[in-house]
Amino acid sequence: MSGGQHDATTSQLLDALRRRADEDFAAPAGDREPGRHQVDLPEVGLRVSVTRSRYPNRPDGVDQYAVTVTRSSLDAPPQEFEVRMVLSGAFGDAAAQAVERTSPNARVRMFRVPAQDPS
């Protein structure tokens, strides 16, 4: 990332992505437009997907986000500094609680991030 304007734009896109996931978690829509939980970050060449749900998928499951970060070109996995930038932009301080999950595709990085109580 190269400048303050790109940083602000990327942070705004990531924040809006997380908010859409929160809205769908709180009030699931029957028919959701495709790609609602995904955003491309052209300035850094990444694609990010965020979904909020309970894991396991039952009432007593843990409220958390599932996050997927890939390079738009799918030529290599995102680097650590890129992943940290994405997680910080989307989750702020909660990014420190992100846990990486193994992925069957070596070019995809997947994480679970605990949802924070908005109070």
Side-chain angles (χ1 to χ4, degrees):
M1 289 191 49
S2 64
Q5 182 60 35
H6 294 300
D7 292 344
T9 301
T10 298
S11 292
Q12 290 169 346
L13 289 170
L14 291 167
D15 184 61
L17 179 66
R18 184 196 39 77
R19 282 187 281 114
R20 288 192 304 271
D22 288 341
E23 290 166 4
D24 282 349
F25 179 77
D31 58 337
R32 178 178 12 168
E33 67 265 18
R36 180 166 168 81
H37 295 123
Q38 180 175 293
V39 67
D40 287 315
L41 305 173
E43 294 90 359
V44 293
L46 297 175
R47 174 171 285 169
V48 181
S49 171
V50 174
T51 303
R52 183 173 172 185
S53 63
R54 293 198 177 276
Y55 185 80
N57 190 12
R58 59 184 194 221
D60 64 337
V62 177
D63 181 6
Q64 60 189 335
Y65 299 94
V67 183
T68 303
V69 184
T70 59
R71 293 200 130 312
S72 300
S73 60
L74 292 175
D75 60 345
Q79 296 181 25
E80 189 64 24
F81 78 92
E82 294 170 317
V83 167
R84 293 294 143 207
M85 179 269 308
V86 164
L87 293 172
S88 288
F91 302 104
D93 292 340
Q97 298 175 18
V99 175
E100 189 160 10
R101 298 174 49 214
T102 57
S103 170
N105 183 335
R107 295 181 193 123
V108 176
R109 300 213 34 207
M110 299 168 38
F111 298 84
R112 290 206 190 273
V113 181
Q116 300 294 311
D117 186 356
S119 56

